[in-house]
Amino acid sequence: MSKAPDFAKAMSGKLEIFSGTAHPQLATEIAGCMGIPVGPMAVTRFPDGEIYVKVETSVRGKDVYVVQPTCPPVNENFTELLIILDALRRASARRITTVIPYYGYGRQDKKTAGREPITARMIADMLIAGGADRLLTIDLHSPQIQGFFDIPVDHLTAVGILGEHLGGHDIGDSVVVAPDAGRVNMATQYANRLNLPVVIIHKRRTGPEETEIVHVVGEVRGKQPIIIDDMITTGGTINRSVRALLDGGAKADILVAATHAVLVGKAIEYLSHPAIKEVVVTNTIPGGWERLGGLKEVSVAPLIASAIQRIHADTSVSEIFA
Ligand code: R5P
């Protein structure tokens, strides 16, 4: 990342960062990394709940970034984002990049039964119709979601910063655990960074919200598991994985790393399992985990700020990960 004061001087007046109400702390942190303030914008509600947005500075001809994870309340945050895009488009922004650190509805990326929607695709269509020119996001549930967008997508990963945190532990005798087949690729990325083997948990869906573990593939006896995932929602996946690993003879000294801490339902209870030594997540979604002792947070703000600077300057974003 270039030095913040130099960047701020060079970009003054040409680039604006705005925030919806989903995660203003993250937007402030990103802007802080770049040495610029978050742009002034009012986002309020009418008495009947309708959303009102007013951009309080000129964006005519500017390169604009809107930070809004579509985390719970998902539908409120998504609708708010669309309205912000509309306001910016009508105010003649030159280019609008939606910065969606956590892409809600990402798990509905295919039909698994007849007469189902592909909502992740529909969300993409709505963002483009709303005025998005680019998407900047982190650890999509499935990378193929990029193909739902006919605009450029910069897909960042938090594996590097979470892996760096994990590397600070004594993990010589650990295994990286993919809690389902969909996470094997991500687990392999962690394993390559940490120089550890991969273990895969074979999970079978038994209902819309229930899964059961069928097999643990790989040796876990006497090992310290590092369970990785893209997101923790109800914590059910982690809970079932912990039980299966302990049944398989793994050490009751488990580390958990996930990019998106959605944390609803029984998540805090499940993550407080005595065999879990530490849970590390990023701040793509605002707080809630303060209730959980032993949870560590690493910030994605420097990563996003670096990507924004590169997009603005038309330089390579993938070089961040080189
Ligand atoms: C599943 O495919 C995902 O990668 C996560 O494992 C899952 O969405 C986590 O949800 P929960 O915490 O509710 O089990």
Side-chain angles (χ1 to χ4, degrees):
M1 193 168 26
S2 59
K3 284 190 195 129
D6 295 349
F7 182 80
K9 198 170 152 205
M11 297 308 141
S12 141
K14 295 181 192 158
L15 180 153
E16 292 280 356
I17 294 189
F18 291 100
S19 177
T21 61
H23 202 349
Q25 308 92 307
L26 179 61
T28 303
E29 211 187 312
I30 294 168
C33 291
M34 297 162 60
I36 59 175
V38 174
M41 182 172 66
V43 182
T44 55
R45 299 283 187 279
F46 285 104
D48 61 358
E50 286 183 1
I51 297 163
Y52 172 76
V53 168
K54 169 92 167 69
V55 184
E56 292 176 323
T57 186
S58 171
V59 291
R60 186 172 298 277
K62 290 187 182 172
D63 187 19
V64 170
Y65 297 79
V66 186
V67 180
Q68 179 88 329
T70 47
C71 53
V74 182
N75 302 323
E76 277 286 311
N77 287 335
F78 179 68
T79 308
E80 190 182 286
L81 175 57
L82 288 179
I83 294 170
I84 293 170
L85 292 178
D86 190 65
L88 291 167
R89 186 169 54 94
R90 291 177 193 281
S92 303
R94 179 174 59 81
R95 180 173 68 178
I96 306 171
T97 300
T98 48
V99 182
I100 308 183
Y102 166 70
Y103 186 87
Y105 282 111
R107 282 176 294 182
Q108 295 187 46
D109 59 351
K110 59 183 158 311
K111 287 176 73 165
T112 52
R115 301 183 295 281
E116 285 184 345
I118 303 180
T119 315
R121 165 66 203 245
M122 189 200 68
I123 293 286
D125 288 344
M126 289 170 78
L127 289 169
I128 295 168
D133 296 305
R134 304 182 67 94
L135 170 69
L136 175 57
T137 188
I138 302 183
D139 287 333
L140 288 164
H141 178 65
S142 50
Q144 301 90 303
I145 292 173
Q146 292 171 79
F148 294 170
F149 289 85
D150 282 331
I151 55 174
V153 176
D154 289 298
H155 185 205
L156 310 180
T157 179
V159 168
I161 52 177
L162 288 167
E164 200 176 310
H165 176 88
L166 293 167
H169 290 69
D170 181 10
I171 52 167
D173 203 18
S174 303
V175 289
V176 177
V177 180
D180 57 40
R183 261 351 88 194
V184 173
N185 199 12
M186 183 180 242
T188 306
Q189 289 174 37
Y190 276 100
N192 288 345
R193 286 183 164 269
L194 299 170
N195 202 18
L196 295 172
V198 174
V199 165
I200 301 163
I201 291 185
H202 177 208
K203 187 172 88 171
R204 191 176 61 175
R205 190 157 287 285
T206 48
E209 289 177 25
E210 301 107 52
T211 54
E212 69 172 11
I213 285 168
V214 186
H215 289 117
V216 176
V217 184
E219 188 50 59
V220 296
R221 186 161 298 281
K223 304 278 184 189
Q224 178 189 40
I226 303 176
I227 308 173
I228 61 88
D229 213 340
D230 60 326
M231 65 173 88
I232 304 172
T233 309
T234 64
T237 300
I238 299 295
N239 186 252
R240 281 183 290 277
S241 303
V242 165
R243 286 191 278 130
L245 291 163
L246 293 176
D247 286 351
K251 284 188 188 164
D253 194 19
I254 298 172
L255 302 175
V256 175
T259 306
H260 309 295
V262 186
L263 305 190
V264 296
K266 286 186 166 179
I268 299 291
E269 185 188 318
Y270 285 149
L271 294 175
S272 306
H273 192 290
I276 299 180
K277 183 171 143 196
E278 186 184 292
V279 180
V280 57
V281 296
T282 78
N283 59 346
T284 56
I285 291 174
W289 47 82
E290 295 85 357
R291 291 172 287 152
L292 182 69
L295 191 144
K296 299 275 185 307
E297 182 192 284
V298 294
S299 179
V300 291
L303 179 65
I304 295 176
S306 181
I308 290 176
Q309 290 184 354
R310 285 165 178 270
I311 293 167
H312 184 70
D314 285 331
T315 56
S316 166
V317 171
S318 54
E319 272 175 12
I320 297 173
F321 303 101

